[in-house]
Amino acid sequence: MTTPSEPGPGRLDPSLSAIMSERRQLINLAYRLLGSLADAEDVVQETYARWYAMSRQQQDAIESPGGWLTTVASRICLDLLGSARARRERYVGEWIPEPLPDRTEWISGRPGGTVVDPAERVTLDESINMAFLVVLESMTPAERVAFILHDVFCHSFAEVAEIVGRTPAACRQLASSARRRIRTSQAPATPAARQAGIVRDFKQAWQAKDIAALISLLDPDATAIADGGGLVSAVLHPIVGSEHIARYAVEIAGLATDLMILERMVNGQPGLIAQQDGVTVMVMAFDVAGDRIKHIWAVRNPDKLRPWTVGPQH
């Protein structure tokens, strides 16, 4: 990235490394606010552009550059979330948050974070699983921003209020409302090893085209949602019910005989990816409740699979 306010030739801006070190944290934040790594990267680029558009004197007057960057990035995200509904209405089919492979997820603690009640905290790990991100999509922009900033990134409600443009008390209410949405939507967590086993069983039953085995792994009221973005073929509406999902999965297996199905971590949880000629063409995330799969999200939109096609999968 170019830095218009850099000192003369051969000299490095001593504040540059400190400013750029915030990038990872800003990507973490923006991805959770927007559900899209591509949009998060755009937000962070715009945030830095605004920083370097200031004079050196203006930059030096900012007491906490990291805080300034976070505030600006959050406000840009808030504006984007406000216009997201209209964009989603134009989106072809179902919209699913952009899935992250492990190697693109950078988790770093926030130094000097406010100490809050552990019951009101969500870890960075939890806040990227697909079920969590899908619930975030149902929130208002202000709810989402207040909740993520406070419950995930440990900002005080006074700090959140400055970003959202509401009182600290109102932001507390927003986060509380968001928290209720999360609690009512999430089933008790299934241990990761058990999740992995169920996803592996699903993969094997799918490859064997065993409808009965697939049905036994799915909750009777399970839903499967595909996101092709209008760029590739995908079912435009959710498929509901274990038998319908199982039969559709077997139908796909019969049509796409050259697909290689691989077990991968998707947004921090066991998932599957499908590759064709070495290119990732689908990423599947699962929500497992007890011993049954409750939700399947299949992302086929190639724009959302970009992080999966850069470099080899391991």
Side-chain angles (χ1 to χ4, degrees):
M1 181 175 295
T2 58
T3 54
S5 61
E6 281 181 355
R11 292 170 54 207
L12 291 175
D13 181 344
S15 66
L16 179 60
S17 61
I19 290 297
M20 294 309 292
S21 69
E22 296 287 335
R23 186 179 185 280
R24 177 177 295 183
Q25 187 75 355
L26 294 173
I27 290 281
N28 268 323
L29 173 64
Y31 173 73
R32 287 163 177 79
L33 290 178
L34 301 174
S36 164
L37 184 60
D39 287 348
E41 289 171 339
D42 288 344
V43 165
V44 173
Q45 185 172 345
E46 171 63 18
T47 300
Y48 278 112
R50 293 187 188 185
W51 171 264
Y52 285 111
M54 294 189 295
S55 68
R56 184 60 181 268
Q57 186 177 8
Q58 289 173 315
Q59 293 172 359
D60 290 343
I62 294 173
E63 185 177 342
S64 170
W68 185 93
L69 292 167
T70 296
T71 297
V72 170
S74 299
R75 285 176 177 164
I76 295 172
C77 288
L78 188 59
D79 289 342
L80 286 174
L81 285 169
S83 62
R85 183 170 295 175
R87 295 200 310 275
R88 301 284 159 76
E89 286 174 357
R90 297 192 297 269
Y91 196 83
V92 178
E94 298 288 327
W95 190 94
I96 298 174
E98 185 178 319
L100 286 183
D102 268 6
R103 60 193 169 78
T104 17
E105 172 53 13
W106 306 279
I107 293 177
S108 58
R110 178 174 181 263
T114 308
V115 176
V116 297
D117 180 349
E120 294 188 357
R121 286 281 289 113
V122 176
T123 70
L124 283 174
D125 297 37
E126 292 172 316
S127 65
I128 59 159
N129 77 56
M130 191 61 76
F132 189 96
L133 292 173
V134 168
V135 178
L136 291 180
E137 287 297 313
S138 70
M139 298 179 185
T140 67
E143 273 181 334
R144 187 165 181 167
V145 172
F147 175 70
I148 293 294
L149 284 171
H150 179 267
D151 283 38
V152 180
F153 287 88
C154 303
H155 287 272
S156 70
F157 283 119
E159 293 171 314
V160 176
E162 184 184 345
I163 292 168
V164 178
R166 305 196 187 188
T167 65
C171 291
R172 186 183 296 275
Q173 287 299 317
L174 287 170
S176 177
S177 171
R179 214 173 289 129
R180 282 195 298 274
R181 288 180 190 253
I182 294 289
R183 286 174 183 157
T184 56
S185 68
Q186 291 192 323
T190 301
R194 183 65 188 132
Q195 287 184 52
I198 292 169
V199 170
R200 184 174 296 118
D201 290 345
F202 179 90
K203 172 195 168 188
Q204 292 171 349
W206 186 19
Q207 291 176 315
K209 303 176 188 175
D210 187 335
I211 289 179
L214 286 168
I215 291 173
S216 72
L217 293 165
L218 292 158
D219 184 275
D221 299 318
T223 60
I225 297 176
D227 177 347
L231 301 175
V232 295
S233 62
V235 179
L236 298 180
H237 302 288
I239 302 172
V240 181
S242 55
E243 186 171 344
H244 288 136
I245 294 171
R247 292 190 181 282
Y248 183 71
V250 168
E251 184 181 330
I252 290 175
L255 293 173
T257 54
D258 58 342
L259 282 184
M260 179 179 291
I261 309 300
L262 305 169
E263 297 170 24
R264 293 288 184 268
M265 293 298 285
V266 179
N267 285 67
Q269 293 190 320
L272 298 174
I273 71 169
Q275 290 189 338
Q276 203 162 25
D277 299 324
V279 176
T280 300
V281 295
M282 181 169 62
V283 171
M284 299 176 71
F286 297 81
D287 183 26
V288 178
D291 288 335
R292 298 287 184 95
I293 296 167
K294 197 167 181 62
H295 299 287
I296 300 173
W297 296 280
V299 178
R300 298 202 59 222
N301 182 339
D303 290 343
K304 293 185 178 183
L305 299 180
R306 181 177 55 84
W308 296 82
T309 55
V310 179
Q313 289 290 321
H314 297 293

